[in-house]
């Protein structure tokens, strides 16, 4: 039965139903829909809009529907959308009392409420998975804390750093995602219910009460905005998109560092794939697939932004398009987060190779310049002198590590014997003790702080 068939003299065309119905996908909102209705009917009873015994009947009916769907006894089909489905089922179960559930409510404020309830749950799942991932990154940071690796800029070796610094950088990104999710969830917890179709209602309802029953922060302040606002969908998709951006960068680094050319990481066999023709291959399909899924999640963000950009106030059917992208993004992001959290601790750090790489290609050159600057040479001049040393090394096939103190002294009288100790990768990394720097001591402090901050969520 259609909720609106009274005005119509002919039944809907089959094609209209196929095109218009949302039950095939909004059935995912069944829990949220029943929760919303339970709060609404409790408030209606409390405010005397419907009789207490009617409210009780409706409540019992809704609870029995919830239990039946939960146990798989009730198939979600045969209605236009989840809201119609639940209401039809309610009337079938409790009779005329059920017809009062929709008092002081419209499907417009109902669907906006249901979807917010759903998204708030989705934030909880994201938060759990993000925390888990940060846990794995901390495991890796602790594993890497004793070792050095090269840090890069422009994908050229730049400066040695404690290997834990690399993993901590990603923890910081995901901590920001956790914070962002929490902030967006606060804005999502503003209740549209009671906005009616668009203009509110003449019944003596108490929207604060409904908000409290549902654990929302407050009712929305403007009914017209309440039924048409889908910012919370765009925000959720933005949160997902940025998580995917961070994951994708991590994937790219993992792929790169596990190549034969870099050889800093080895992904264990359980999380690698092979080739049907090249027997020697061990491929990083997991991070590649994740990097690929990033585009798909960005696409969902772009879709909702485009969908809402020209929708006149208030509700228009365009807004039914808000759901499928979010459902897919949520699914993709959660699976990426959990697979990454699982795969990470199964990466072996090839510490010797990392250490060697951190001492090659003049990774320690900044420290030579700093050495001179600390002995009184203005940094710009120290930079130029070190540049000459590097050029001399290249021309004479030497390295900063196999230069003798005498070789250094030819470039400046400020050099002493101790310069040879300065150009070791571990020494260079561990000298960077500034707050947030790449020294082992700073990285340890960073790990402690990450653990403390992630525990807040
Ligand atoms: N299935 C609709 C949606 O998802 C529910 C709201 C319908 N409201 C309406 N006025 N047709 O947006």
């Amino acid at each position: 039965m259609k909720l609106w068939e009274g005005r119509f003299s002919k039944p809907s065309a089959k094609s209209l139903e196929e095109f218009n119905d949302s039950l095939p996908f909004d059935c995912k909102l069944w829990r949220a829909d029943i929760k919303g209705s339970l709060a609404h009917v409790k408030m209606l009873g409390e405010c005397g809009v419907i009789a207490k015994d009617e409210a009780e009947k409706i409540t019992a009916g809704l609870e029995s529907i919830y239990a039946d769907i939960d146990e798989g006894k009730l198939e979600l089909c045969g209605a236009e959308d989840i809201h119609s489905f639940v209401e039809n089922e309610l009337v079938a179960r409790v009779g005329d009392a059920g017809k009062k559930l929709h008092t002081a409510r419209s499907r417009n404020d109902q669907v906006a409420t249901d979807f917010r309830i759903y998204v708030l749950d989705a934030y909880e799942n994201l938060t759990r998975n993000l925390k888990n991932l940060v846990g794995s990154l901390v495991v890796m940071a602790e594993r890497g804390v004793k070792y050095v690796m090269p840090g890069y800029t422009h994908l050229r070796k730049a400066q040695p750093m404690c290997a834990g610094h690399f993993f901590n950088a990603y923890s910081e990104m995901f901590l920001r995602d956790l914070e962002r999710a929490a902030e967006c969830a606060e804005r999502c917890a503003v209740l549209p219910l009671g906005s009616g179709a668009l203009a509110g209602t003449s019944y003596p309802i108490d929207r604060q009460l409904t908000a409290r029953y549902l654990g929302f922060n407050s009712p929305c302040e403007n009914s017209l905005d309440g039924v048409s606002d889908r910012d919370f969908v765009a925000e959720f998709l933005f949160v997902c998109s940025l998580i995917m951006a961070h994951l994708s960068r991590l994937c790219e680094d993992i792929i790169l560092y596990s190549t034969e050319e870099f050889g800093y990481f080895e992904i264990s066999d359980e999380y690698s794939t092979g080739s049907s023709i090249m027997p020697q291959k061990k491929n990083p399909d997991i991070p590649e697939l994740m990097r690929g899924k990033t585009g798909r999640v960005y696409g969902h963000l772009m879709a909702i932004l485009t969908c809402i950009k020209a929708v006149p106030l208030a509700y228009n059917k365009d807004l039914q398009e808000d759901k499928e992208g979010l459902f897919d993004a949520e699914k993709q992001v959660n699976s990426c987060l959990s697979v990454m959290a699982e795969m990470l601790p199964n990466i072996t750090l090839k510490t010797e190779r990392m250490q060697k790489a951190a001492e090659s290609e003049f990774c320690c050159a900044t420290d030579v310049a700093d050495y001179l600057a600390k002995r009184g040479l203005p940094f710009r001049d120290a930079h130029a002198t070190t540049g000459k040393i590097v050029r001399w090394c290249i021309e004479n096939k030497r390295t900063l590590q196999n230069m003798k103190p005498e070789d250094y002294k030819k470039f400046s009288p400020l050099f002493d014997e101790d310069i040879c100790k300065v150009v070791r990768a571990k020494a260079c990394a561990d000298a960077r003790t500034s707050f947030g720097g790449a020294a082992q001591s700073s990285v340890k402090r960073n790990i402690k702080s990450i653990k403390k901050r992630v525990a807040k969520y």
Side-chain angles (χ1 to χ4, degrees):
M1 196 193 93
K2 295 263 180 347
L3 297 176
W4 37 263
E5 65 189 16
R7 187 224 178 277
F8 292 77
S9 56
K10 286 185 185 164
S12 299
K14 193 100 207 82
S15 58
L16 172 123
E17 286 185 342
E18 274 168 15
F19 189 68
N20 192 53
D21 289 2
S22 53
L23 187 59
F25 54 88
D26 70 15
C27 56
K28 259 180 123 68
L29 297 178
W30 71 267
R31 280 195 179 83
D33 190 71
I34 297 177
K35 276 185 198 162
S37 288
L38 282 167
H40 180 64
V41 75
K42 195 167 168 196
M43 179 279 291
L44 290 180
E46 217 45 61
C47 295
V49 176
I50 62 172
K52 277 260 154 75
D53 63 315
E54 289 168 330
E56 277 162 21
K57 262 193 192 162
I58 295 173
T59 301
L62 288 170
E63 282 169 352
S64 74
I65 295 171
Y66 192 103
D68 286 353
I69 300 175
D70 207 24
E71 288 162 30
K73 285 190 206 152
L74 187 58
E75 206 190 328
L76 297 163
C77 62
E80 181 184 341
D81 54 25
I82 188 62
H83 327 293
S84 313
F85 176 87
V86 173
E87 194 174 321
N88 289 343
E89 187 62 31
L90 180 71
V91 175
R93 291 187 184 204
V94 308
D96 279 352
K99 296 182 184 165
K100 295 200 173 178
L101 170 63
H102 214 53
T103 313
R105 181 175 87 171
S106 142
R107 272 188 301 166
N108 300 348
D109 55 347
Q110 185 180 359
V111 70
T113 300
D114 291 1
F115 205 21
R116 281 174 189 260
I117 294 173
Y118 182 92
V119 172
L120 284 170
D121 263 358
Y123 274 123
E124 282 187 19
N125 292 336
L126 270 191
T127 300
R128 195 168 3 87
N129 281 320
L130 280 166
K131 283 184 73 168
N132 221 357
L133 175 57
V134 173
S136 293
L137 285 163
V138 166
V139 167
M140 295 307 286
E142 284 175 334
R143 202 180 285 172
V145 87
K146 294 198 292 284
Y147 307 103
V148 281
M149 69 185 288
Y152 292 81
T153 68
H154 311 269
L155 206 52
R156 267 57 173 174
K157 278 183 196 158
Q159 291 173 347
M161 56 182 198
C162 166
H165 207 43
F166 169 86
F167 296 102
N168 283 349
Y170 283 101
S171 282
E172 293 293 339
M173 295 180 218
F174 295 116
L175 273 166
R176 285 197 295 279
D177 291 330
L178 276 165
E179 188 177 35
R180 195 170 1 262
E183 288 163 358
C184 290
E186 288 301 313
R187 260 190 302 281
C188 184
V190 173
L191 184 72
L193 204 59
S195 295
L198 74 161
T201 175
S202 55
Y203 295 96
I205 60 169
D206 183 345
R207 299 188 58 213
Q208 260 82 15
L209 201 57
T210 323
R212 215 170 325 128
Y213 290 156
L214 284 169
F216 275 54
N217 292 332
S218 60
C220 66
E221 298 255 357
N222 181 302
S223 60
L224 207 51
D225 176 50
V227 290
S228 60
D229 172 26
R230 293 296 183 274
D231 293 2
F232 69 99
V233 181
E235 284 199 320
F236 183 84
L237 287 169
F238 178 67
V239 169
C240 288
S241 293
L242 220 40
I243 292 172
M244 288 307 295
H246 297 151
L247 277 172
S248 188
R249 293 184 76 169
L250 177 57
C251 289
E252 176 66 15
D253 276 335
I254 291 173
I255 293 165
L256 218 49
Y257 291 173
S258 59
T259 55
E260 290 87 357
E261 287 77 5
F262 281 76
Y264 306 155
F265 293 174
E266 178 157 4
I267 306 173
S268 82
D269 285 3
E270 298 147 278
Y271 297 90
S272 303
T273 48
S275 153
S276 59
I277 172 170
M278 296 164 283
Q280 85 284 11
K281 293 274 276 182
K282 197 169 150 183
N283 292 330
D285 282 27
I286 291 181
E288 287 172 8
L289 191 52
M290 238 174 250
R291 196 176 53 184
K293 284 179 187 289
T294 305
R296 171 168 169 184
V297 175
Y298 287 5
H300 295 317
L301 172 62
M302 209 39 71
I304 187 66
L305 289 172
T306 312
C307 173
I308 61 181
K309 85 176 185 36
V311 175
L313 288 178
Y315 178 86
N316 295 262
K317 198 59 174 254
D318 316 42
L319 298 181
Q320 180 167 288
E321 282 293 303
D322 61 354
K323 294 173 198 65
E324 287 164 288
L326 187 140
F327 292 151
D328 183 59
E330 182 201 9
K331 186 171 155 209
Q332 301 308 325
V333 175
N334 281 319
S335 85
C336 289
L337 285 171
S338 75
V339 173
M340 181 55 88
E342 201 183 300
M343 183 187 74
L344 265 179
N346 289 286
I347 290 178
T348 306
L349 301 181
K350 313 275 266 310
T351 54
E352 252 173 59
R353 175 108 179 178
M354 283 172 10
Q355 151 103 19
K356 226 177 178 177
E359 266 177 10
S360 62
E361 269 85 42
F362 307 102
C363 244
C364 301
T366 312
D367 298 81
V368 174
D370 287 340
Y371 178 97
L372 293 173
K374 284 174 191 163
R375 290 174 174 229
L377 196 62
F379 181 77
R380 194 45 61 216
D381 297 332
H383 183 290
T385 302
T386 310
K388 283 186 195 129
I389 296 175
V390 168
R391 183 144 46 88
W392 181 83
C393 282
I394 293 170
E395 284 162 1
N396 295 281
K397 297 201 167 33
R398 300 286 295 275
T399 66
L400 295 178
Q401 286 73 30
N402 70 17
M403 275 177 78
K404 299 271 166 305
E406 305 83 76
D407 300 323
Y408 277 105
K409 281 177 188 163
K410 279 183 217 139
F411 291 91
S412 165
L414 294 172
F415 282 117
D416 255 323
E417 307 292 310
D418 60 350
I419 182 63
C420 297
K421 285 196 205 112
V422 168
V423 293
R424 309 314 305 200
K426 178 82 174 128
C428 293
D430 284 347
R432 294 194 164 77
T433 53
S434 55
F435 184 85
Q440 190 186 42
S441 59
S442 299
V443 169
K444 278 186 176 164
R445 192 213 61 82
N446 195 186
I447 293 175
K448 245 194 216 158
S449 150
I450 289 165
K451 283 181 176 171
K452 211 160 112 193
R453 280 177 286 150
V454 78
K456 285 196 299 199
Y457 299 99

